[in-house]
Amino acid sequence: MSSPDVVSLLENSKELDRVRKEQEEILSEINKLHKKLQTTPEVVEKPGDTSLARLKVLYTQAKDLSESEASISNLMLSQIDGILPTGPQGQTRRRIEGNEPKRKRVKTESDISRLTATMRHHLEACASLKGEQVAARVTPRNADKDEWFVVKVIHFDKESKEFEVLDEEPGDDEESSGQRQYKLPMGNIIAFPKSNDPSSAPDFPPGKHVLAVYPGTTALYKATVVQGPRRRKTEDYVLEFDDDEEDGSLPQRTVPFHKVVLLPEGHRQ
């Protein structure tokens, strides 16, 4: 038994633990959405609801994590086979342990065939955002609060399922040094409605929580629609932002319809 082999095995075991922990988080979000859809299936027919789109993203992430788990597990089995002595005991062990990865592999392949059409459509939609401005969460999943900015899509990698985006106006703080680039997963990106195609834009009713670009900035904040029903989809929204001003009041601002998106579930601010 060589120490480098054991060290490598332990490192892979830590990576497997990380993948499984992330799987649990994703599955928890999927279960919440499943419960929501089962309880109120009519919600998907409401204008502006993104439950199904969010579910697609979560399914894709869950599939990727499942593939990673199977890959790491198979690698660890090979490493263990290389460390343990050969013989009847090892052969029996390989036969027993080999069944579980096989079952997982069959399940994974079944999931892939079931999600291929949906994934392909979603990946094409992501690739079509190149050159567009989108809403992007630039903070990691475990951050204390979510920070969203308007960024420009530079590239979308269909293999890694990551966006490369550019923050064209990073701010004027001392730490800023020109434009910043980020690599972000699909779940961190929300496309804005097309300004020249209001028919495709969601219609948020009064009282609806949204994520909107604060006028004069490229930052997005949680806000509530306070305006009455709009006569046309091209009309601006009157929003009450949750970011308090110095006097403690909630600022109301007018925001164009194509700078407003549905507030992501679980948003922290």
Side-chain angles (χ1 to χ4, degrees):
M1 180 186 302
S2 61
S3 296
D5 291 338
V6 175
V7 170
S8 178
L9 180 65
L10 293 176
E11 289 176 351
N12 285 327
S13 70
K14 291 179 181 178
E15 177 64 12
L16 187 61
D17 290 341
R18 184 196 67 77
V19 168
R20 286 175 172 169
K21 182 177 180 182
E22 192 169 348
Q23 274 183 313
E24 291 177 0
E25 294 175 356
I26 295 296
L27 290 175
S28 177
E29 291 188 50
I30 289 176
N31 290 336
K32 288 178 182 178
L33 269 177
H34 282 176
K35 186 176 181 180
K36 174 184 175 182
L37 294 175
Q38 291 167 1
T39 305
T40 56
E42 68 278 2
V43 72
V44 298
E45 299 179 0
K46 294 182 179 180
D49 183 78
T50 60
S51 299
L52 293 181
R54 178 60 179 159
L55 204 53
K56 289 180 184 179
V57 174
L58 292 172
Y59 281 161
T60 301
Q61 292 174 335
K63 184 194 75 67
D64 292 342
L65 290 170
S66 179
E67 290 177 344
S68 296
E69 181 189 14
S71 177
I72 298 171
S73 296
N74 288 333
L75 176 59
M76 291 179 67
L77 284 171
S78 297
Q79 290 177 314
I80 293 173
D81 284 340
I83 293 174
L84 289 177
T86 58
Q89 182 178 359
Q91 293 171 0
T92 302
R93 174 187 53 77
R94 284 195 294 273
R95 184 170 61 253
I96 294 173
E97 293 184 354
N99 291 334
E100 182 62 20
K102 183 176 180 181
R103 285 197 296 270
K104 288 184 178 179
R105 187 161 57 251
V106 170
K107 181 180 179 181
T108 300
E109 290 171 353
S110 175
D111 291 342
I112 292 173
S113 63
R114 198 164 50 240
L115 296 173
T116 295
T118 298
M119 284 177 55
R120 187 184 303 114
H121 175 75
H122 191 59
L123 291 175
E124 290 298 331
C126 289
S128 69
L129 292 174
K130 183 177 180 180
E132 299 282 344
Q133 286 192 329
V134 297
R137 187 183 74 205
V138 299
T139 45
R141 180 186 299 275
N142 58 354
D144 292 334
K145 65 177 183 178
D146 296 334
E147 291 186 12
W148 289 79
F149 295 110
V150 178
V151 299
K152 182 179 180 180
V153 175
I154 301 174
H155 176 67
F156 175 69
D157 189 329
K158 291 183 180 180
E159 295 297 325
S160 65
K161 299 179 180 62
E162 284 186 327
F163 281 92
E164 290 183 32
V165 300
L166 177 67
D167 184 357
E168 298 177 287
E169 298 181 29
D172 55 3
D173 56 283
E174 294 181 359
E175 296 181 359
S176 295
S177 56
Q179 298 174 336
R180 289 176 290 186
Q181 292 189 24
Y182 299 92
K183 281 192 175 182
L184 302 172
M186 292 189 297
N188 285 37
I189 300 293
I190 301 177
F192 285 117
K194 300 289 186 181
S195 60
N196 59 354
D197 185 16
S199 63
S200 63
D203 191 12
F204 301 116
K208 189 71 174 179
H209 295 310
V210 296
L211 198 63
V213 180
Y214 194 84
T217 75
T218 56
L220 292 95
Y221 297 97
K222 179 182 177 183
T224 305
V225 179
V226 296
Q227 180 188 29
R230 297 179 305 153
R231 290 171 294 180
R232 298 183 303 276
K233 279 197 170 185
T234 53
E235 289 185 12
D236 295 344
Y237 282 101
V238 177
L239 304 175
E240 187 173 79
F241 281 85
D242 283 15
D243 201 34
D244 291 353
E245 291 185 331
E246 292 182 1
D247 60 1
S249 64
L250 295 175
Q252 288 190 7
R253 295 290 185 268
T254 301
V255 180
F257 76 93
H258 55 89
K259 295 296 182 183
V260 181
V261 296
L262 183 68
L263 184 74
E265 187 174 341
H267 175 74
R268 296 158 298 184
Q269 182 170 318

